[in-house]
Amino acid sequence: MEIIKQAPLRAMAVTPHPDDCEGGCGGTLSKWIQESGTAGVVVLCTNGDKGTGDREMEPAELAAIREREQQEAADVMGANDVVFLSHPDGGLEDSMLFRSQLVREIRRHKPDVILCIDPYRSISHTHRDHRMSGQVAIDAAFTYAWNPQHFPDQITQEGLEPHMVKEAYLWGSETPDVFVDITDFLDTKAESLSRHASQMSADPVARAKRIRSWAAETGEKAGLTHAEGFRRIQFNLESVIMRT
Ligand SMILES: [Zn+2]
């Protein structure tokens, strides 16, 4: 167990749907960006067009609303870019296309840390898009982005360079082992979540209370008042590549 106090220079959150990253790492990302000047980017994998029980809602209309909400939420966190991959909600696959898209964003934005959902859970089940986005993000970082032999057109035709991501922070993990104190950023997290108005209950006070008690519960594991917890993967790519 470790409490993370140092912010990375560059971080990229890979979120399957609008609102997942604010719920999972919104406090941490806001803190890194606003306190330490981390360059933060959000990659939104799907357009969230199935995120309603309203039979009258047109998926295209919902997608437009949710992409706008995601931009606003990212602005609250202070992210300097939001990338919309616009896969259909429920349609993420572990495909070459999706992998190449995440590799491209890693090569463009050169994050030291990627934040994504832990795709490996054994006790609780999660949305298929959550598993796919977490899995493909980790694979993009470890196996593909650093190696010029993968997706070489991005290098020869798009002018990108291979990039080594140092670490992945996985939110929603059953076994978090690193924690970030988000006490001063609870309000920012709540505010960023409230920008996803189409997905949220109308009561912002109850929502803020829920966020506070969830963060307190997580913080308890690390002796912090309020925290977000992650399972960390340190890729150690330099030493891995030297051996191959
Ligand atoms: Zn989701």
Side-chain angles (χ1 to χ4, degrees), residues 2-72:
E2 191 182 333
I3 295 166
I4 302 297
K5 293 193 174 152
Q6 188 156 4
L9 281 178
R10 289 178 291 274
M12 173 183 286
V14 177
T15 185
H17 307 115
D19 78 15
D20 287 318
C21 83
E22 289 79 4
C25 67
T28 298
L29 193 56
S30 300
K31 177 177 170 141
W32 285 350
I33 294 169
Q34 296 177 28
E35 225 176 57
S36 304
T38 297
V41 58
V42 174
V43 178
L44 173 59
C45 301
T46 76
N47 59 20
D49 67 353
K50 312 285 195 303
T52 181
D54 178 359
R55 295 184 187 194
E56 305 300 316
M57 175 62 85
E58 282 294 324
E61 191 187 336
L62 183 60
I65 292 169
R66 296 198 70 188
E67 290 194 345
R68 198 165 59 240
E69 290 173 345
Q70 181 63 74
Q71 181 65 59
E72 288 178 12

Side-chain angles (χ1 to χ4, degrees), residues 2 6 9 17 36 50 52 73 76 79 94 116 126 129 131 144 153 155 164 178 206 209 211 214 219 226-227 235:
E2 191 182 333
Q6 188 156 4
L9 281 178
H17 307 115
S36 304
K50 312 285 195 303
T52 181
V76 170
D94 184 353
C116 59
T126 186
D129 288 341
R131 296 198 308 279
Y144 294 84
D153 290 356
I155 293 161
M164 287 184 204
V178 298
K209 208 170 148 190
I211 291 167
W214 173 82
H226 298 97
F235 293 124

Side-chain angles (χ1 to χ4, degrees), residues 9 38 41 46 136 172 207 233 237-238:
L9 281 178
T38 297
V41 58
T46 76
V136 175
R207 184 164 57 249
I233 299 174
L237 273 167
E238 281 99 344

